[in-house]
Amino acid sequence: MKKCLFIILLVSSLNSYAGITGKIVGKVVEAETGTALPGANVQLSGTMKGAATNLDGEFRIVNLQPGKYTLVTTYIGYKQNSMEITISPKQTLSIKVEMVFETLKGEEVVVTAQLEGQARAINQQIASNTIVNVVSPDKIQELPDQNAAESLGRLPGISVQRDAGEGQKVVVRGLSPKFNSITVNGERIPSTDEEDRSVDLSMISPDILAGIEVYKALTPDKDGDAVGGTINFTIRKAPENFHGDVRLQTGYNDHEEKFGLYKGSFSVSNRFLNNKIGVLFTGNTQRADRSSDLLDASYTFSKDKGDERGTVEVADLNLVDRLETRDRYGASIAVDYDLENGQILFSSFWGLTERDEIRRRKRYRVGEARVQYDMRDREINTSLYTNSLSGTHIYKSLEIEWRGSYSKTKQNMPFSHYAYFQEKAPFYNNIITDKGPTYIPEGAKNNLDETYFKRGFLDELYVKDKDWTAQLNVKYPFTFGPKISGYIKAGGKIRDKERIRDITQYMTDHLEFVDVVDIYNADPAGFYRDLVITDDDRIGIKSFINPGFSTGDFLNGQYEFGPGLDVDQLNEFKDYYRSKYYLNTVIDLEDYTASEQIKAGYFMSEISFFEKIMILGGLRYEKTNNDYVSIWGTPVSTSGTTTIASASDTTGKRSYEEVLPMIHLRIKPLQWFDIRLAMTKSLSRPNYINLVPWRAVYQGENEMEQGNPNLMHTKSWNYDAFLSFYNRLGLFTIGGFYKKLTDIDYLYVHRVLDKTDPYYGYNLTEPVNSQSDTEVKGYELEVQTNLKFLPSPLDGIVLYSNYSHIKSETFFPYFEIGPRSTEPPYQPTIIDTVRAGRMPGQADDILNFSIGYEKGGFSGRISFTYQGDIIQTIGERSELDGFIDSFSRWDLALQQKVYKQTSIFLNINNLTDEKEAAYLGIESFTTRAEYFGMTADLGIRYKF
């Protein structure tokens, strides 16, 4: 039956083609500003012929018989445009449609940035045949966000993972960053993480983006490895005429009381040769201070016989002072060439983040009876480079699209110096450990005369991920009678990946420095005239204390921090005695090289009935081939030096296939209401380090770690149902989703029980697939509206809000040690079991709200973000699970137009100095508290 229907549709479309010789090529723009309007609905009245405009406001309607038509263009928030046109045989009619902003009372309304941005986002979401959320370029410019991750965090169903108080990665619908696909203009960005498949979004500046799209229900023509969703950053093509946009700002960091931070961006574009060739170039630079005060702690849990409640005790407390400067750079270029029947586009994007960090830390390691003072001075550079060449060609009714791309990410830590000092017998006998971290410093002696140099490390890290892709898509439209139309589409894609991780470490310990003391004693006027030697001939910490160091009001006055180590002096000391650092070959066990090839093909079709019902369905096939090379070895300690025994290269291969069916249904019973349903299957490939066949055996500790090249990929069935209500005042959406994941993987710690295994009795940490399914479900609400129907001055109010509630259940494997057997050799019993919990990284509740106001050249917006608590780490039992505390933040953005093309603006982030915190599951014992303070930016913008 399906084959017959397909043949009927195809024959009907081919027969109708005999008399179709004309087509329309057009663009829809805003009448006052001339800016492109994406998502506009363009329809030939009385027919099923029509199209939605793309991101550049362009549309194309083919297969038109000669004759007269009425072209009707609609765009939420704008007046309907009707245009009488005539199509001649073999004619390509070029049209420019200008849309006028709609008013309720007939008076003139000035189109403001917030209103236009809201309209763009609403129309793009409505025009899409799948479930998508959009951040328009106007809204990106209005929000006070430092990077793309922060902008994404304002969309429904998305929570943000932060690093140093700044958005870095995003969680979509409770699924961690590794489950999401990140693209720029449709091109996949390789992972920037040294272990998993996630992408650091902090390197992408919002200033150079034309928009952000989050696709939450896949279609067959998109990569299948996106269980959470696909996030696409768009870079537009050049509009007509010469345009430019320059933003310059200076900043202030309240935590460090530091002025002089800066950010700048620009874009320049023009079209040449009668608008056939367009060139758009953007660039940005930024210096940000992400310094902070930090407390983190860990705990142990004990339960005596008959004690049902148990006792939580502090095992470790760390007080940290971080100084970090981040420099960001970015650039992009897009060159497009409009053909008579298509276009060719070249785009290239580059981003770089350079991080310079100095971390001083005091560690109260209660469980090991140690107090340590350490310093880490390091640089981390993360870069992204992606470029693509694509073309679209229309031959009669057939649309052919091709694309080739090359993308590369690098994470490079060229320098990291870590050194720590240790105090002898550091605690009093009566230290209080069961009342939280507050009492721990009181139980420490803080005896600097008994604190000596313990160990130093020099680290280098290099991770490179490269992707090559090639793809071809073919699309053929058809009509079946006057009320049925659609298209069939098929294509294929090849993606080749290469990934390298290389870690190098040099280290020493205090024993290696005994001869340093001898050198000093022989020549006390030499390199270190003020070197302090302890009574047992060790290098004392007093040699490296910076007397001028101060943290100010550390952790809002809750704790005292000190002393502060002198970073320059420690680096100088390291350089002078560099020969005392030996190569740590054990770290090489974590090196690997990997390649991955994905071959994909798909077939899909979209059919629209009577302008009321749309069905989109199809299949995607993906075949994955993996190759990995790493090292198996056993660390052995000899005379204080650890080396690898029996080290050998090892390889792993894996090949698997997956068929991914997908179907979407959109029903539009009324002009202001539609229903969207989707059922899709997607996958997630395991993290690289989990697949690599590496092994490290620690004989002295009876511990072992290894990868698992046989790890299965995760499969997910996804179900979505959304209702959308919209009119000239805005959009209201309510929807729910349900995901069922199989073969999700976790790190599993268990005991080796095979008595024939040489490592019998060892604790083995390895990734495994869960034997139980994981479920994620929730609902999302979104409201975008304005109050322009109210009398002045209330008609300048613009509102946006969304709320998401997410629930999940997954199962974590673990083992318990039971009672000893009653017979020799009286070994304890090992119980392998699982327990239920929610997905790591998932927040139950996410809320965003903003209220904006625009009038007379003034634009202001205050925004609120709330993110519920998140399970972060899985303990040996539920009482020791770690949670990131709920988080809320207020931001403010103000802008005033001072001339027609010039505006000044003020952005303030984290108005209430909200800290980021984490706690232990049982009694909300604090495990992390980090303060960053408020930041402010003052700048000027010039558009021409």
Side-chain angles (χ1 to χ4, degrees):
M1 182 64 185
K2 292 182 179 178
K3 291 183 178 179
C4 291
L5 177 61
F6 172 75
I7 292 172
I8 291 172
L9 292 173
L10 183 59
V11 171
S12 174
S13 63
L14 289 173
N15 289 337
S16 65
Y17 174 72
I20 297 176
T21 57
K23 59 186 174 184
I24 303 172
V25 177
K27 187 171 185 177
V28 180
V29 299
E30 204 279 320
E32 183 179 351
T33 63
T35 56
L37 296 179
N41 182 45
V42 184
Q43 195 78 23
L44 291 176
S45 181
T47 76
M48 289 296 291
K49 295 289 186 179
T53 57
N54 62 16
L55 289 173
D56 299 301
E58 300 168 340
F59 69 93
R60 185 184 299 265
I61 304 175
V62 298
N63 289 359
L64 295 180
Q65 295 181 355
K68 294 183 178 181
Y69 296 90
T70 300
L71 187 73
V72 179
T73 305
T74 57
Y75 201 75
I76 299 283
Y78 287 74
K79 293 180 180 179
Q80 177 178 293
N81 183 296
S82 296
M83 182 184 302
E84 301 297 326
I85 61 172
T86 300
I87 300 294
S88 302
K90 298 183 181 181
Q91 180 188 18
T92 299
L93 181 63
S94 296
I95 294 176
K96 184 176 183 180
V97 181
E98 296 186 339
M99 304 295 290
V100 178
F101 206 80
E102 188 173 27
T103 66
L104 295 180
K105 300 179 181 179
E107 74 274 13
E108 181 183 359
V109 173
V110 178
V111 182
T112 60
Q114 291 191 43
L115 285 175
E116 189 172 349
Q118 185 182 83
R120 286 194 188 193
I122 290 173
N123 282 278
Q124 283 181 256
Q125 291 180 203
I126 293 172
S128 175
N129 288 337
T130 183
I131 297 169
V132 63
N133 295 116
V134 175
V135 184
S136 68
D138 312 87
K139 189 170 182 179
I140 290 175
Q141 297 293 339
E142 289 293 322
L143 294 171
D145 297 324
Q146 297 295 315
N147 60 54
E150 297 283 1
S151 298
L152 278 164
R154 301 184 187 275
L155 292 175
I158 296 181
S159 56
V160 178
Q161 290 186 351
R162 288 179 167 83
D163 177 64
E166 182 179 60
Q168 183 184 48
K169 301 175 183 179
V170 294
V171 176
V172 180
R173 290 180 163 179
L175 294 162
S176 63
K178 71 173 185 176
F179 289 104
N180 305 317
S181 169
I182 310 296
T183 61
V184 173
N185 271 9
E187 293 303 324
R188 186 70 171 259
I189 300 178
S191 168
T192 58
D193 194 275
E194 62 176 292
E195 294 187 354
D196 66 26
R197 294 177 181 267
S198 62
V199 176
D200 182 355
L201 301 177
S202 66
M203 74 178 76
I204 300 177
S205 171
D207 293 345
I208 64 174
L209 298 176
I212 305 175
E213 304 163 326
V214 181
Y215 293 93
K216 295 179 176 177
L218 296 182
T219 52
D221 54 351
K222 291 183 173 60
D223 289 341
D225 49 345
V227 175
T230 295
I231 298 168
N232 183 46
F233 299 104
T234 59
I235 300 174
R236 66 186 184 277
K237 59 184 280 190
E240 295 180 14
N241 304 319
F242 179 71
H243 294 276
D245 190 347
V246 179
R247 291 169 60 100
L248 298 173
Q249 66 188 56
T250 184
Y252 169 74
N253 179 287
D254 176 60
H255 183 273
E256 294 298 309
E257 299 181 352
K258 184 176 182 179
F259 290 93
L261 305 173
Y262 57 83
K263 184 178 181 182
S265 65
F266 72 91
S267 67
V268 178
S269 66
N270 203 353
R271 301 199 69 85
F272 308 92
L273 298 180
N274 295 322
N275 290 325
K276 286 186 174 296
I277 295 179
V279 180
L280 170 67
F281 182 68
T282 71
N284 68 279
T285 183
Q286 179 188 21
R287 169 161 289 184
D289 191 301
R290 302 310 311 168
S291 302
S292 65
D293 297 339
L294 167 66
L295 173 151
D296 65 69
S298 62
Y299 301 84
T300 58
F301 177 80
S302 61
K303 182 183 287 187
D304 297 330
K305 186 175 181 180
D307 182 6
E308 292 299 326
R309 184 170 180 270
T311 302
V312 176
E313 295 184 287
V314 178
D316 296 291
L317 170 65
N318 300 319
L319 302 179
V320 183
D321 174 72
R322 289 181 60 262
L323 301 175
E324 181 179 345
T325 300
R326 295 186 179 182
D327 291 316
R328 290 193 182 90
Y329 311 92
S332 71
I333 185 171
V335 181
D336 67 275
Y337 179 62
D338 284 340
L339 306 171
E340 182 178 353
N341 293 300
Q343 73 168 11
I344 296 176
L345 173 66
F346 170 78
S347 65
S348 183
F349 175 85
W350 170 78
L352 171 66
T353 299
E354 297 178 337
R355 300 174 54 179
D356 292 317
E357 179 198 57
I358 295 175
R359 187 194 68 185
R360 297 177 175 91
R361 180 171 61 174
K362 186 171 184 180
R363 310 187 68 185
Y364 298 93
R365 308 186 71 173
V366 183
E368 300 177 17
R370 298 180 185 177
V371 170
Q372 296 174 345
Y373 302 79
D374 67 36
M375 178 283 303
R376 183 178 68 192
D377 182 12
R378 68 175 181 177
E379 301 173 14
I380 301 177
N381 304 321
T382 305
S383 63
L384 160 66
Y385 176 58
T386 179
N387 55 76
S388 69
L389 180 66
S390 62
T392 302
H393 308 276
I394 297 177
Y395 177 72
K396 296 184 178 179
S397 298
L398 193 67
E399 180 178 322
I400 300 174
E401 180 187 17
W402 55 268
R403 183 188 297 263
S405 68
Y406 170 73
S407 300
K408 177 174 65 176
T409 61
K410 289 196 300 183
Q411 183 181 140
N412 182 27
M413 185 174 69
F415 170 77
S416 176
H417 177 208
Y418 172 74
Y420 73 89
F421 297 78
Q422 185 168 305
E423 181 181 348
K424 293 189 294 185
F427 294 111
Y428 296 110
N429 293 331
N430 60 347
I431 184 172
I432 300 173
T433 61
D434 59 353
K435 293 186 178 181
T438 307
Y439 293 91
I440 299 303
E442 299 177 6
K445 297 178 182 178
N446 300 308
N447 188 352
L448 298 182
D449 292 325
E450 295 293 327
T451 304
Y452 58 93
F453 182 90
K454 176 68 176 178
R455 184 166 290 171
F457 297 87
L458 300 175
D459 293 280
E460 297 177 11
L461 169 68
Y462 180 78
V463 181
K464 181 168 67 173
D465 203 327
K466 297 188 294 184
D467 280 2
W468 293 266
T469 64
Q471 59 181 315
L472 177 68
N473 303 307
V474 180
K475 182 178 178 181
Y476 187 82
F478 60 79
T479 58
F480 186 59
K483 296 298 183 181
I484 300 176
S485 67
Y487 64 82
I488 56 175
K489 186 178 181 181
K493 182 176 182 178
I494 297 177
R495 186 170 85 220
D496 266 319
K497 176 185 290 295
E498 290 184 3
R499 185 176 175 88
I500 299 173
R501 184 172 84 160
D502 183 24
I503 307 175
T504 304
Q505 184 180 82
Y506 291 86
M507 60 182 292
T508 186
D509 56 33
H510 68 286
L511 297 176
E512 297 291 326
F513 279 83
V514 172
D515 57 346
V516 174
V517 176
D518 293 337
I519 293 173
Y520 170 77
N521 290 333
D523 183 16
F527 181 70
Y528 267 106
R529 291 182 292 274
D530 299 323
L531 197 65
V532 176
I533 307 299
T534 64
D535 293 338
D536 52 355
D537 285 342
R538 296 181 178 182
I539 301 172
I541 192 174
K542 289 186 175 181
S543 305
F544 302 96
I545 291 177
N546 181 350
F549 172 81
S550 174
T551 60
D553 195 18
F554 184 76
L555 289 174
N556 282 4
Q558 300 175 60
Y559 293 85
E560 292 185 5
F561 184 89
L565 295 172
D566 192 308
V567 177
D568 293 335
Q569 195 169 357
L570 277 168
N571 283 332
E572 186 179 9
F573 181 78
K574 172 263 301 177
D575 292 338
Y576 191 81
Y577 293 108
R578 179 65 178 78
S579 62
K580 301 301 178 182
Y581 289 76
Y582 61 84
L583 181 65
N584 177 17
T585 56
V586 177
I587 205 74
D588 291 337
L589 293 172
E590 300 180 29
D591 293 346
Y592 66 83
T593 60
S595 65
E596 184 175 81
Q597 185 184 76
I598 301 170
K599 297 179 180 179
Y602 73 90
F603 175 85
M604 60 184 286
S605 180
E606 177 185 313
I607 306 175
S608 296
F609 301 90
F610 308 100
E611 301 183 24
K612 300 292 185 182
I613 299 174
M614 184 282 301
I615 300 176
L616 185 157
L619 294 172
R620 185 177 183 88
Y621 165 81
E622 292 195 357
K623 182 177 181 180
T624 306
N625 294 302
N626 294 125
D627 290 279
Y628 295 93
V629 179
S630 189
I631 301 174
W632 287 56
T634 304
V636 176
S637 296
T638 305
S639 302
T641 300
T642 303
T643 59
I644 302 176
S646 305
S648 61
D649 288 342
T650 183
T651 62
K653 291 181 179 291
R654 181 76 190 280
S655 179
Y656 54 89
E657 300 169 287
E658 197 67 54
V659 177
L660 307 172
M662 306 176 192
I663 186 167
H664 297 254
L665 173 65
R666 186 183 68 188
I667 304 172
K668 190 174 182 180
L670 301 169
Q671 287 297 318
W672 48 267
F673 169 60
D674 67 49
I675 304 167
R676 297 169 190 249
L677 306 173
M679 181 178 69
T680 61
K681 187 180 181 182
S682 55
L683 62 89
S684 176
R685 297 177 175 89
N687 291 336
Y688 304 107
I689 190 64
N690 290 348
L691 280 173
V692 173
W694 67 284
R695 170 181 277 187
V697 182
Y698 306 97
Q699 292 181 334
E701 303 172 14
N702 285 354
E703 299 283 344
M704 184 164 57
E705 298 177 272
Q706 67 182 30
N708 182 0
N710 295 317
L711 200 64
M712 298 289 292
H713 59 287
T714 300
K715 282 78 67 178
S716 176
W717 277 102
N718 316 291
Y719 306 88
D720 294 86
F722 275 74
L723 308 178
S724 298
F725 306 84
Y726 40 85
N727 58 26
R728 57 195 174 190
L729 297 180
L731 168 71
F732 172 71
T733 298
I734 179 172
F737 62 89
Y738 172 80
K739 296 177 181 289
K740 187 174 184 178
L741 291 76
T742 58
D743 291 322
I744 198 166
D745 59 87
Y746 296 101
L747 286 179
Y748 179 35
V749 181
H750 62 103
R751 190 71 60 89
V752 178
L753 299 178
D754 183 0
K755 293 184 178 180
T756 64
D757 194 305
Y759 302 109
Y760 169 70
Y762 276 56
N763 286 338
L764 172 62
T765 302
E766 64 175 341
V768 299
N769 291 112
S770 175
Q771 300 301 307
S772 303
D773 293 338
T774 294
E775 294 183 345
V776 182
K777 56 188 176 182
Y779 61 86
E780 300 171 356
L781 305 174
E782 183 182 29
V783 179
Q784 301 187 57
T785 188
N786 58 77
L787 304 183
K788 65 178 187 288
F789 61 90
L790 294 178
S792 181
L794 299 178
D795 56 345
I797 297 175
V798 180
L799 300 174
Y800 176 79
S801 182
N802 65 65
Y803 170 72
S804 306
H805 182 71
I806 304 171
K807 286 291 186 183
S808 65
E809 183 180 55
T810 189
F811 296 88
F812 307 104
Y814 74 102
F815 77 94
E816 291 182 343
I817 300 177
R820 292 181 177 274
S821 63
T822 57
E823 297 182 5
Y826 307 109
Q827 293 289 336
T829 57
I830 307 297
I831 304 172
D832 284 320
T833 184
V834 296
R835 64 180 180 84
R838 59 169 153 155
M839 288 279 289
Q842 177 230 310
D844 283 350
D845 298 287
I846 305 168
L847 172 67
N848 288 283
F849 173 80
S850 70
I851 180 169
Y853 185 80
E854 290 190 316
K855 203 77 170 177
F858 170 79
S859 175
R861 186 196 302 264
I862 186 165
S863 305
F864 172 76
T865 297
Y866 171 81
Q867 185 172 291
D869 63 5
I870 294 172
I871 188 167
Q872 182 182 32
T873 58
I874 308 302
E876 296 177 2
R877 55 195 306 155
S878 60
E879 295 90 341
L880 293 179
D881 287 346
F883 292 84
I884 298 176
D885 203 356
S886 57
F887 177 86
S888 60
R889 193 178 77 179
W890 290 90
D891 302 316
L892 177 67
L894 303 175
Q895 181 171 296
Q896 177 63 55
K897 184 177 290 187
V898 292
Y899 296 104
K900 185 176 181 180
Q901 298 170 305
T902 306
S903 303
I904 57 173
F905 59 89
L906 171 67
N907 295 331
I908 302 178
N909 292 88
N910 197 16
L911 277 165
T912 56
D913 190 16
E914 178 77 11
K915 72 176 185 296
E916 293 183 12
Y919 62 90
L920 199 66
I922 184 171
E923 291 183 5
S924 297
F925 276 23
T926 299
T927 56
R928 186 178 182 87
E930 192 164 10
Y931 291 83
F932 303 93
M934 175 268 294
T935 62
D937 301 300
L938 179 65
I940 185 170
R941 181 181 185 184
Y942 178 66
K943 297 180 69 175
F944 54 93

